[in-house]
Amino acid sequence: MFNKASKGSLFPYAFWIALFVIAPIALIVYYSMLDLNGHFTFDNYKAFFTPVYLKMTLTSFWYAFLITFFTLMIAYPTAYLLTKTKHKHLWLMLIIIPSWINLLLKTYAFIGIFGLYGPINAFIKVFGLEQQQILFTDFSFIFVSVYIFIPFMIIPIFNSLNKLNPTLVYAARDLGASSFTTFRRVIFPLTIDGVKSGIQVTFIPALSLFMITRLIAGNQVITLGTAIEQQFLVSQNWGMGSTIAVFLIILMVIIMLFTGQKKGGRA
């Protein structure tokens, strides 16, 4: 009876996964094998391995790597300092609050900030310097992306650091380890699961960014997400757009496997 009850309780979850995960992926795979006329073909997959799309894939990886790297460099020290503050959960909430604001609104806010007549150029003008076009550059694209992903990187790292047993740090210092050695040999290895989770929630979405590339980078940066949007909405080539999406899903699964948490048992 217990087994039947357990299987029955799993049915809603299985139905949800089948309807909203497996079915959409199956549709994407199906459409990836169709040409513009709806005929079955593998030409879309052949086209993906041409220099244009391979270069686009490498570009997406490069920008996703830069965004994840800078996000991690900012998020880890911030999360560490938060665990040392008196009202750490209050400060954490203040960092998370901006993530509740709609992404489109934040993007338009940065358009105003980085614009020729925005506050940054107004500040530059005070020193007698010429106005700079900050928008539509790699800097603006990476800066805005890092700002958006920082809360999602901080949360898992903060949780890992907050659960860290402080007696292990004290023991390392008592044994003569320097601050850097303690961090390298004790703190960071024990919080690596939080870092991996942060990398997952940053690197994977960064691969498929398209709205920020449109509004902030001004199509100067073309990623896989931008290519999918163009194929579906501009070229109306659903087959090629689905093919790019299939490879994007495969890349995401590979990244999840590499950054997954491995739990080993003890004898």
Side-chain angles (χ1 to χ4, degrees):
M1 183 179 293
F2 178 76
N3 290 334
K4 290 182 178 180
S6 299
K7 291 179 180 179
S9 63
L10 290 175
F11 176 77
Y13 300 100
F15 178 76
W16 181 275
I17 291 173
L19 186 62
F20 294 106
V21 178
I22 298 176
I25 292 176
L27 281 173
I28 290 173
V29 174
Y30 169 74
Y31 278 112
S32 69
M33 298 180 182
L34 301 178
D35 59 15
L36 287 170
N37 298 318
H39 299 144
F40 183 83
T41 181
F42 285 107
D43 290 342
N44 294 323
Y45 286 89
K46 294 178 182 177
F48 184 84
F49 288 98
T50 57
V52 174
Y53 288 102
L54 291 178
K55 182 180 179 181
M56 189 183 302
T57 303
L58 292 176
T59 301
S60 298
F61 260 91
W62 173 243
Y63 281 110
F65 168 78
L66 289 177
I67 292 168
T68 305
F69 175 78
F70 287 117
T71 304
L72 179 61
M73 290 298 101
I74 297 172
Y76 200 103
T78 303
Y80 182 79
L81 291 175
L82 284 177
T83 59
K84 303 300 180 182
T85 58
K86 185 177 181 180
H87 304 288
K88 52 189 175 182
H89 290 97
L90 174 62
W91 288 108
L92 180 64
M93 185 184 69
L94 293 176
I95 292 174
I96 295 173
I97 284 176
S99 66
W100 300 350
I101 302 173
N102 184 272
L103 178 60
L104 185 61
L105 293 178
K106 289 190 287 187
T107 304
Y108 273 111
F110 275 105
I111 291 176
I113 293 171
F114 288 149
L116 286 174
Y117 302 100
I120 293 180
N121 270 307
F123 179 77
I124 292 174
K125 196 174 180 180
V126 171
F127 295 94
L129 301 175
E130 294 183 1
Q131 293 176 327
Q132 302 293 323
Q133 179 58 275
I134 305 174
L135 279 176
F136 314 134
T137 61
D138 289 354
F139 168 79
S140 61
F141 170 66
I142 294 174
F143 184 93
V144 175
S145 300
V146 169
Y147 167 79
I148 289 170
F149 286 120
I150 277 178
F152 304 104
M153 179 73 81
I154 287 179
I155 293 172
I157 296 176
F158 173 85
N159 290 333
S160 295
L161 287 168
N162 202 38
K163 295 176 182 177
L164 181 65
N165 190 345
T167 58
L168 299 174
V169 179
Y170 299 148
R173 298 305 301 271
D174 289 341
L175 292 172
S178 63
S179 299
F180 177 74
T181 303
T182 302
F183 172 78
R184 184 173 61 89
R185 301 295 296 271
V186 179
I187 298 175
F188 188 77
L190 292 176
T191 57
I192 192 66
D193 287 341
V195 174
K196 288 180 177 180
S197 297
I199 290 174
Q200 280 187 2
V201 298
T202 302
F203 192 92
I204 292 175
L207 274 177
S208 55
L209 287 174
F210 69 91
M211 185 171 64
I212 297 176
T213 57
R214 287 283 194 189
L215 299 177
I216 299 297
N219 284 339
Q220 300 298 318
V221 176
I222 303 297
T223 62
L224 291 176
T226 310
I228 293 172
E229 182 204 22
Q230 288 178 340
Q231 293 294 340
F232 273 98
L233 301 181
V234 180
S235 303
Q236 295 292 309
N237 189 348
W238 288 28
M240 194 63 222
S242 298
T243 302
I244 301 172
V246 167
F247 282 100
L248 185 59
I249 292 171
I250 293 172
L251 292 173
M252 290 178 177
V253 171
I254 293 172
I255 293 166
M256 291 181 67
L257 291 175
F258 271 101
T259 57
Q261 298 178 11
K262 297 180 181 179
K263 295 182 180 180
R266 289 186 176 179

